[in-house]
Amino acid sequence: MKGEDHHHFYIDEEDRLLDIPAGMIHLAELPPAPLGYELAGIDVLCRIRRTASEAGPGASRGAQTR
Protein backbone atom coordinates (compact mmCIF):
# COMPACT_ATOMS: atom_id res chain seq x y z
CA MET A 1 0.00 0.00 0.00
CA LYS A 2 3.01 2.28 -0.05
CA GLY A 3 2.17 5.52 -1.83
CA GLU A 4 -1.60 4.96 -1.67
CA ASP A 5 -4.01 6.54 0.79
CA HIS A 6 -4.62 4.02 3.55
CA HIS A 7 -5.31 3.72 7.26
CA HIS A 8 -3.43 2.19 10.18
CA PHE A 9 -3.55 0.18 13.36
CA TYR A 10 -1.26 1.68 16.01
CA ILE A 11 0.18 -0.85 18.47
CA ASP A 12 0.51 1.05 21.76
CA GLU A 13 3.07 -1.19 23.45
CA GLU A 14 5.36 -1.31 20.41
CA ASP A 15 4.97 2.25 19.07
CA ARG A 16 4.42 0.62 15.67
CA LEU A 17 1.96 0.99 12.76
CA LEU A 18 0.32 -1.78 10.76
CA ASP A 19 -1.54 -1.10 7.52
CA ILE A 20 -5.29 -1.65 7.45
CA PRO A 21 -6.16 -3.37 4.15
CA ALA A 22 -7.82 -1.13 1.54
CA GLY A 23 -11.61 -1.17 1.63
CA MET A 24 -11.84 -2.19 5.29
CA ILE A 25 -12.84 1.27 6.57
CA HIS A 26 -16.28 2.56 5.61
CA LEU A 27 -17.34 6.05 6.63
CA ALA A 28 -21.02 6.87 6.18
CA GLU A 29 -20.94 10.59 6.99
CA LEU A 30 -18.33 13.25 7.59
CA PRO A 31 -18.78 16.60 9.28
CA PRO A 32 -18.39 19.65 7.06
CA ALA A 33 -15.08 21.47 7.30
CA PRO A 34 -15.17 24.77 9.23
CA LEU A 35 -15.84 27.94 7.26
CA GLY A 36 -12.79 28.85 5.21
CA TYR A 37 -11.41 25.29 5.12
CA GLU A 38 -11.85 22.30 2.85
CA LEU A 39 -11.37 18.61 3.54
CA ALA A 40 -7.96 17.53 2.21
CA GLY A 41 -8.07 13.88 3.30
CA ILE A 42 -9.11 11.45 5.98
CA ASP A 43 -6.75 9.45 8.16
CA VAL A 44 -8.05 6.69 10.41
CA LEU A 45 -5.82 5.45 13.22
CA CYS A 46 -7.10 2.49 15.26
CA ARG A 47 -5.13 2.13 18.49
CA ILE A 48 -4.72 -1.52 19.49
CA ARG A 49 -3.02 -3.54 22.21
CA ARG A 50 -2.51 -7.23 22.79
CA THR A 51 -5.22 -9.02 24.73
CA ALA A 52 -4.27 -10.23 28.20
CA SER A 53 -4.15 -13.82 26.95
CA GLU A 54 -1.70 -12.87 24.15
CA ALA A 55 0.50 -10.44 26.10
CA GLY A 56 2.50 -13.13 27.85
CA PRO A 57 4.08 -13.15 31.31
CA GLY A 58 5.51 -9.89 32.57
CA ALA A 59 3.67 -7.76 30.01
CA SER A 60 2.65 -4.36 31.27
CA ARG A 61 0.32 -1.86 29.63
CA GLY A 62 2.23 1.00 31.19
CA ALA A 63 5.69 -0.06 29.99
CA GLN A 64 6.39 1.51 26.61
CA THR A 65 9.57 2.15 24.74
CA ARG A 66 9.66 4.98 22.25
Side-chain angles (χ1 to χ4, degrees), residues 10-64:
Y10 173 71
I11 307 170
D12 282 331
E13 296 89 355
E14 300 173 19
D15 192 27
R16 185 166 64 107
L17 295 174
L18 296 176
D19 289 341
I20 294 175
M24 295 297 296
I25 301 290
H26 303 280
L27 301 172
E29 255 182 82
L30 298 172
L35 187 62
Y37 292 87
E38 65 182 8
L39 188 63
I42 300 167
D43 300 303
V44 174
L45 178 70
C46 300
R47 295 172 55 115
I48 61 173
R49 64 178 172 237
R50 293 195 185 273
T51 60
S53 62
E54 295 294 323
S60 170
R61 284 184 49 207
Q64 297 182 13

Side-chain angles (χ1 to χ4, degrees), residues 1-8 19 22:
M1 282 193 228
K2 194 173 187 179
E4 299 174 18
D5 289 338
H6 61 281
H7 309 291
H8 295 98
D19 289 341

